[in-house]
């Protein structure tokens, strides 16, 4: 029975990933009707690369551990692992989201600016990717808590949160359409709103598995977001400074700028977390 449940869950995960392919095609069809297809699809590809590298590693690592704890009846261990895993996933997502926000133009130019891909199209894709970067933490929440729901058999929670996210996205897109403000940025913003609502709603559903938090636990999140704000400001200032002094071949310049800005921002973020004892080095 346990083997059958495990196979069903794995099959469900595979089908879920395959189902994203036609959904992206459908999203591209809508965006094409709104003259925003190519930039939005290009931005979605860039977002998928960043989000996939960030979330799938930790989500797929923690999924069997959550399943084992739930199957053994270790409710306290399940809740503790869920809480700690979410904190780690969020801590990883925040600096990447900030870097993707500031460096979207350079990332797009480095990946796409060749052949028939024009500078104006690169700017449109960069604008879309910058907007989508705001939803990266929410996307990580959705992926993480979906694994938690699968681990304990609450398979309907991810479905309902996804449907709610789609409804919010379509509602926002409809509102932008009637306000005559349809653009690459507003279409991307509607996607961000849907992802955010989906992630937050799934987190609220999973709150029943969390133990009662002490004040210092909320303090950890406060220090985490303070570190993110500091890192975000550092990345923005570093990018602005380097763009005035780096004058190399464009491809190499973009690569160098991305590397330096992300490294400096991540170092500031890591040092802050260590100094505030959010992360303890033993």
């Amino acid at each position: 029975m346990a083997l059958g449940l495990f196979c069903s869950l794995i099959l469900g995960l595979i089908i879920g990933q395959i189902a994203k392919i036609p959904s992206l095609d459908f999203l591209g069809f809508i965006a094409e009707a709104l003259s925003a297809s190519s930039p939005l699809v290009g931005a979605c590809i860039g977002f998928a690369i960043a989000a996939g590298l960030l979330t799938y590693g930790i989500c797929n690592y923690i999924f069997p551990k959550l399943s084992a704890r739930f199957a053994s009846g270790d409710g306290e261990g399940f809740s503790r692992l869920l809480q700690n895993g979410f904190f780690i996933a969020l801590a990883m997502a925040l600096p990447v989201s900030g870097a993707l926000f500031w460096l979207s133009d350079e990332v797009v130019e480095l990946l796409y600016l060749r052949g028939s891909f024009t500078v104006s199209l690169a700017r449109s894709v960069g604008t879309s990717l910058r907007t989508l970067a705001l939803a990266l933490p929410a996307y990580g929440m959705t992926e993480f808590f979906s694994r938690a729901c699968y681990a304990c058999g609450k398979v309907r929670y991810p479905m309902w949160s996804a449907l709610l996210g789609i409804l919010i996205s379509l509602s926002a897109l409809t509102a932008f359409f009637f306000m005559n403000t349809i653009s690459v940025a507003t279409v991307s913003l509607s996607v961000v709103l849907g992802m955010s609502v989906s992630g937050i709603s799934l987190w609220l559903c999973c709150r029943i598995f969390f133990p009662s938090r002490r004040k210092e636990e909320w303090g950890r999140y406060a220090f985490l977001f303070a570190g993110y704000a500091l890192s975000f400001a550092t990345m923005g200032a570093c990018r602005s400074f380097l763009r005035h002094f780096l004058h190399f071949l464009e491809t190499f310049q973009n690569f160098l700028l991305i590397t330096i800005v992300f490294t400096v921002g991540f170092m500031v973020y890591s040092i802050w977390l260590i100094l505030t004892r959010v992360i303890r080095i033993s």
Side-chain angles (χ1 to χ4, degrees):
M1 181 177 178
L3 179 61
L5 178 60
F6 175 79
C7 293
S8 300
L9 290 173
I10 295 299
L11 181 61
L13 289 174
I14 295 173
I15 294 174
Q17 298 307 313
I18 295 175
K20 291 181 180 179
I21 298 175
S23 66
L24 284 176
D25 290 339
F26 181 68
L27 179 61
F29 173 77
I30 296 176
E32 185 175 20
L34 303 171
S35 301
S37 175
S38 297
L40 185 60
V41 171
C44 284
I45 293 173
F47 178 84
I49 293 173
L53 292 175
L54 179 67
T55 60
Y56 282 105
I58 185 171
C59 289
N60 290 337
Y61 171 78
I62 205 169
F63 174 59
K65 297 181 180 298
L66 286 170
S67 300
R69 279 167 172 74
F70 184 81
S72 64
D74 184 7
E76 182 179 351
F78 180 90
S79 299
R80 185 168 57 251
L81 181 60
L82 185 63
Q83 183 177 355
N84 292 335
F86 170 60
F87 184 84
I88 294 172
L90 184 62
M92 293 174 61
L94 288 176
V96 177
S97 174
L100 200 59
F101 179 87
W102 285 117
L103 300 170
S104 57
D105 291 336
E106 288 76 15
V107 169
V108 169
E109 291 176 6
L110 187 64
L111 291 176
Y112 297 121
L113 195 55
R114 58 182 59 87
S116 60
F117 202 90
T118 63
V119 175
S120 61
L121 186 57
R123 290 174 180 171
S124 297
V125 176
T127 299
S128 181
L129 184 59
R130 185 178 301 109
T131 307
L132 291 175
L134 301 174
L136 188 58
Y139 180 86
M141 289 172 63
T142 302
E143 291 294 330
F144 181 83
F145 288 119
S146 292
R147 302 303 197 281
C149 291
Y150 296 148
C152 61
K154 306 290 185 179
V155 294
R156 292 188 178 182
Y157 286 177
M159 179 189 69
W160 288 116
S161 70
L163 291 176
L164 179 60
I166 292 172
L167 178 62
I168 294 298
S169 291
L170 292 178
S171 300
L173 196 59
T174 303
F176 288 134
F177 176 78
F178 283 108
M179 290 188 296
N180 293 320
T181 55
I182 286 294
S183 65
V184 172
T186 54
V187 172
S188 302
L189 182 58
S190 67
V191 176
V192 169
L193 292 174
M195 285 186 181
S196 301
V197 170
S198 178
I200 293 172
S201 64
L202 193 56
W203 171 73
L204 291 174
C205 289
C206 290
R207 280 281 291 152
I208 59 175
F209 302 119
F210 281 22
S212 58
R213 296 175 186 266
R214 301 186 302 272
K215 290 184 178 180
E216 55 265 27
E217 289 298 327
W218 289 111
R220 289 181 70 198
Y221 284 96
F223 281 121
L224 182 67
F225 281 101
Y228 165 66
L230 180 61
S231 173
F232 186 84
T234 301
M235 288 182 188
C238 184
R239 176 182 180 271
S240 178
F241 176 79
L242 290 176
R243 284 177 67 89
H244 288 88
F245 291 95
L246 292 181
H247 301 287
F248 299 105
L249 184 66
E250 190 170 14
T251 301
F252 177 71
Q253 177 175 316
N254 287 332
F255 175 78
L256 191 62
L257 193 145
I258 291 170
T259 303
I260 294 175
V261 170
F262 179 75
T263 301
V264 171
F266 189 77
M267 286 179 61
V268 169
Y269 180 74
S270 300
I271 292 172
W272 168 266
L273 296 185
I274 293 172
L275 290 178
T276 55
R277 301 183 65 83
V278 174
I279 294 179
R280 295 177 174 84
I281 304 298
S282 57

